[in-house]
Amino acid sequence: MSTPPRERWRPRPIVERMDRAPERVRVYEVGPRDGLQAEPAVIPARTKIELCRRLAAAGLRDIEATSFVPPSWIPQLTDAAEVLPALADLDGVRTVALVPNRRGLDRAVEAGTRHVAVVVSATESFARANLNAARQAALDTATEVTRAAREQGLGVRGYVSMAFGDPWEGPVDRAVVAATAAALLAAGCSTVALGDTIGVATPGHVHAIVRDLAALGVPAGDLALHLHDTYGQALANVVAGLDAGVREFDSSVGGLGRCPYARGATGNLATEDLVWLLHGMGIATGADLDALAGVSRWIGAQLGRTGLPSRVTTALAAAVPAAGR
Amino acid sequence: MSTPPRERWRPRPIVERMDRAPERVRVYEVGPRDGLQAEPAVIPARTKIELCRRLAAAGLRDIEATSFVPPSWIPQLTDAAEVLPALADLDGVRTVALVPNRRGLDRAVEAGTRHVAVVVSATESFARANLNAARQAALDTATEVTRAAREQGLGVRGYVSMAFGDPWEGPVDRAVVAATAAALLAAGCSTVALGDTIGVATPGHVHAIVRDLAALGVPAGDLALHLHDTYGQALANVVAGLDAGVREFDSSVGGLGRCPYARGATGNLATEDLVWLLHGMGIATGADLDALAGVSRWIGAQLGRTGLPSRVTTALAAAVPAAGR
């Protein structure tokens, strides 16, 4: 067996447009917030700022940069008031901060935030575990914060976490998911992201939830999918979401963030893997895949990790030795 | 933040049937052949036999067990004549042996093989690198072997490798892929598996190839997809394949096998990840997911690997400590 004495091809998505695929979708980057909050390493604010700036330079236009949680909750994100203002000059980039309550909103506004995100669990167990509150009380808080933010002219994004499966309860009641998402939209959220926080969704489940929301009068264009790749299903669910009319997908550069409910397993869908899929389908994202892979390798090194979960970045680095940056 | 003092849910696919999904699909297991031939470790014939028997016990009914290649080609598979006959008593299981040429077919028949597979590259570069032959000569050999096997009453499966991208040539000419697959079917193959040998396919590409073959009169039901997960796209492509009418998918337990064109990257789609997807969509496979995860951990240990690429098996082992077998 002889190898042809020629140069290897540098792999990239081969574009074959998919029937009914949209021209463009929004890639909503959650690495700096959702990713870093689940990484054990705590990195300096200047590294977080540089991460966001590198992601913007790679073409991403929607970046969840930090979270104004009480400092005791998430030690990785105590520097939100330092990170957020340092991104104010990023042109054409929507930088979003998560706010868990009214106090968080006030701190975010003081720091100059123009876009916030609120989160509600679809299950009682996770509401108590994550937010230390009853589910309904957390929904009341989120809708109050949403209204207050809208009154101040801020944009608001909603999350419904544990929208598919819950680590204690198992399968989640779809009626609760739909009602929660509809309540957040009614309160003033521009988009609600349905979170598969433990990664157990499959495509029929995605279709069913989108259909449930349509029955409540919520169009698929008001929804985003926040998918985790714990069981390897995230991109299959993106295909199902596209088919159902969803046009916004969350991802984390490199697949940053882990799964707190399955130690050693993968958490967030990797942005590079999502962008590879979309570009291959002929769908524009604005992102530069090679630049993203470079950011992925860089932040992995900052965290002292030998590799992040992204299959695209792992394979690109391995496929052509000269490709490493 | 307090954790509810209750037992964790043991994750499993939550069944939500997908519109237009078939009742059942065939999972064609390639781990013992395609997986092991790409693993550096050489394991004894008795371990290979046990692997096949464990896979059958986990409910798989189509297992590519070995390859009758010349011993100098693939040191991992020199014991085909010992492995194959030891599986003759597996009830209701189709055990398949790859045969690269007429000599291989003769050896396979001597060993009692009832089902063989033939392989042709869609590209000139890979034909020369892998089979040390021109593409057309390899196709002629494969069609001759197919006819000879059919005359002896054997079942024959065809592969078109490098059907999407090639490590030297890049994007592959779809017309060559379609013509090659049609030629193999015309020669007597019952099914042709389209091989994404370097894992660069995306869903629109899958649709395009199935459409090309339909234009040549080949129904999607005569096709299988042999997908690699190198860039994380395999399950997205399964969803596209199902949508296009494909009803047979290749996979390797644990994701056994590596990518020779991207060292350190993932090769074959993992059987557990495929079965999770299908079961979640309400599609029967006959496989038992927990049993498959057990086989995956067992063969990983036999190979001295700390973990195989399957995200399902990794996450299941991590999600509930008591779940380990």
Side-chain angles (χ1 to χ4, degrees):
Chain A
M1 282 189 271
S2 61
T3 299
R6 288 188 286 125
E7 268 192 28
R8 287 275 179 79
W9 174 57
R10 169 133 178 78
R12 55 179 167 69
I14 299 166
V15 179
E16 293 280 1
R17 270 199 67 78
M18 183 90 165
D19 291 344
R20 291 167 289 140
E23 293 295 318
R24 189 177 188 88
V25 312
R26 191 188 296 266
V27 173
Y28 183 92
E29 170 65 41
V30 299
R33 196 278 301 171
D34 197 31
L36 289 184
Q37 81 173 40
E39 291 286 336
V42 179
I43 57 176
R46 65 169 186 283
T47 308
K48 296 172 186 171
I49 294 163
E50 187 170 349
L51 172 60
C52 292
R53 300 186 81 88
R54 286 178 181 237
L55 290 166
L60 297 178
R61 288 295 167 264
D62 299 272
I63 301 174
E64 196 164 293
T66 187
S67 177
F68 286 90
V69 286
S72 63
W73 284 18
I74 303 176
Q76 289 90 338
L77 300 179
T78 52
D79 49 14
E82 188 180 348
V83 171
L84 218 281
L87 304 171
D89 65 321
L90 281 178
D91 205 31
V93 177
R94 178 173 62 139
T95 49
V96 182
L98 193 118
V99 294
N101 50 32
R102 185 59 201 247
R103 173 81 187 108
L105 174 63
D106 294 343
R107 287 175 59 214
V109 169
E110 277 164 38
T113 310
R114 301 302 308 150
H115 301 275
V116 296
V118 299
V119 58
V120 180
S121 169
T123 69
E124 199 63 47
S125 297
F126 188 66
R128 293 182 185 277
N130 193 50
L131 302 169
N132 203 18
R135 207 192 74 76
Q136 185 59 51
L139 177 57
D140 293 344
T141 299
T143 52
E144 283 162 30
V145 169
T146 299
R147 285 195 200 97
R150 296 291 294 130
E151 279 165 16
Q152 295 174 74
L154 273 63
V156 188
R157 185 181 210 251
Y159 283 102
V160 179
S161 56
M162 299 298 173
F164 295 84
D166 175 279
W168 296 278
E169 301 182 15
V172 173
D173 185 347
R174 295 211 321 264
V176 174
V177 174
T180 307
L184 290 173
L185 288 163
C189 288
S190 57
T191 307
V192 169
L194 304 167
D196 183 17
T197 317
I198 61 170
V200 298
T202 47
H205 205 160
V206 170
H207 277 200
I209 286 191
V210 174
R211 205 163 46 220
D212 291 345
L213 276 153
L216 296 184
V218 175
D222 286 359
L223 303 174
L225 286 172
H226 178 97
L227 300 163
H228 281 213
D229 208 23
T230 317
Y231 295 85
Q233 310 295 314
L235 288 185
N237 292 329
V238 170
V239 174
L242 286 168
D243 187 51
V246 177
R247 297 293 177 256
E248 181 168 327
F249 298 91
D250 297 7
S251 62
S252 165
V253 65
L256 213 58
R258 305 179 187 226
C259 182
Y261 304 98
R263 270 173 222 285
T266 305
N268 286 296
L269 169 60
T271 306
E272 307 93 287
D273 300 6
L274 172 63
V275 167
W276 182 291
L277 173 80
L278 296 171
H279 289 189
M281 292 169 82
I283 300 170
T285 66
D288 177 315
L289 194 52
D290 283 326
L292 275 180
V295 180
S296 181
R297 286 190 292 271
W298 174 81
I299 189 63
Q302 301 301 312
L303 289 165
R305 294 188 64 168
T306 51
L308 293 179
S310 166
R311 294 221 155 139
V312 165
T313 295
T314 302
L316 281 180
V320 183
R325 286 177 186 217
Chain B
M1 283 188 270
S2 61
T3 300
R6 289 187 285 124
E7 268 192 30
R8 285 277 178 79
W9 175 57
R10 168 135 179 77
R12 56 178 166 69
I14 300 166
V15 180
E16 292 280 0
R17 270 198 68 77
M18 182 88 164
D19 291 345
R20 292 168 289 142
E23 292 297 318
R24 189 178 186 88
V25 312
R26 190 188 296 266
V27 173
Y28 183 92
E29 171 66 40
V30 299
R33 196 277 301 171
D34 197 30
L36 289 184
Q37 79 173 38
E39 291 286 336
V42 179
I43 57 176
R46 68 170 184 282
T47 308
K48 297 172 185 173
I49 295 163
E50 188 171 350
L51 172 61
C52 292
R53 301 185 83 86
R54 285 178 181 236
L55 290 166
L60 297 177
R61 288 297 167 261
D62 299 272
I63 301 174
E64 197 164 291
T66 186
S67 176
F68 286 90
V69 286
S72 64
W73 286 17
I74 301 176
Q76 290 88 338
L77 301 179
T78 52
D79 50 13
E82 189 180 346
V83 171
L84 218 281
L87 305 171
D89 65 321
L90 282 178
D91 206 31
V93 177
R94 177 172 64 138
T95 51
V96 183
L98 193 116
V99 294
N101 51 32
R102 185 58 200 248
R103 173 79 188 108
L105 174 62
D106 294 343
R107 289 174 59 213
V109 170
E110 278 164 38
T113 310
R114 300 303 307 149
H115 301 274
V116 295
V118 298
V119 59
V120 180
S121 169
T123 70
E124 200 62 49
S125 297
F126 188 66
R128 294 181 185 277
N130 193 50
L131 302 169
N132 202 19
R135 206 191 73 78
Q136 184 60 49
L139 177 57
D140 293 344
T141 299
T143 52
E144 282 161 31
V145 170
T146 299
R147 284 193 201 97
R150 296 290 295 130
E151 279 164 17
Q152 295 174 73
L154 274 62
V156 188
R157 184 181 211 251
Y159 282 102
V160 179
S161 56
M162 298 298 172
F164 295 84
D166 175 279
W168 296 278
E169 301 182 15
V172 173
D173 184 348
R174 293 209 324 259
V176 175
V177 175
T180 306
L184 290 172
L185 288 163
C189 287
S190 57
T191 306
V192 170
L194 303 167
D196 183 18
T197 317
I198 61 170
V200 298
T202 46
H205 205 161
V206 170
H207 277 199
I209 287 192
V210 174
R211 205 162 46 219
D212 291 345
L213 277 152
L216 297 183
V218 174
D222 286 359
L223 303 174
L225 286 172
H226 178 96
L227 300 163
H228 280 213
D229 209 22
T230 317
Y231 295 87
Q233 310 294 313
L235 288 186
N237 292 329
V238 170
V239 174
L242 286 168
D243 187 52
V246 177
R247 298 293 178 257
E248 181 168 327
F249 298 91
D250 296 8
S251 61
S252 166
V253 65
L256 213 56
R258 304 178 189 226
C259 181
Y261 303 99
R263 269 173 221 286
T266 307
N268 286 296
L269 170 60
T271 305
E272 306 94 288
D273 299 5
L274 172 63
V275 168
W276 182 291
L277 174 80
L278 296 170
H279 288 190
M281 293 169 81
I283 300 170
T285 66
D288 177 315
L289 194 51
D290 282 326
L292 274 179
V295 180
S296 181
R297 286 189 291 270
W298 174 81
I299 188 63
Q302 301 300 311
L303 289 164
R305 293 187 64 169
T306 50
L308 294 179
S310 166
R311 292 219 156 140
V312 165
T313 296
T314 301
L316 280 180
V320 184
R325 285 178 184 218

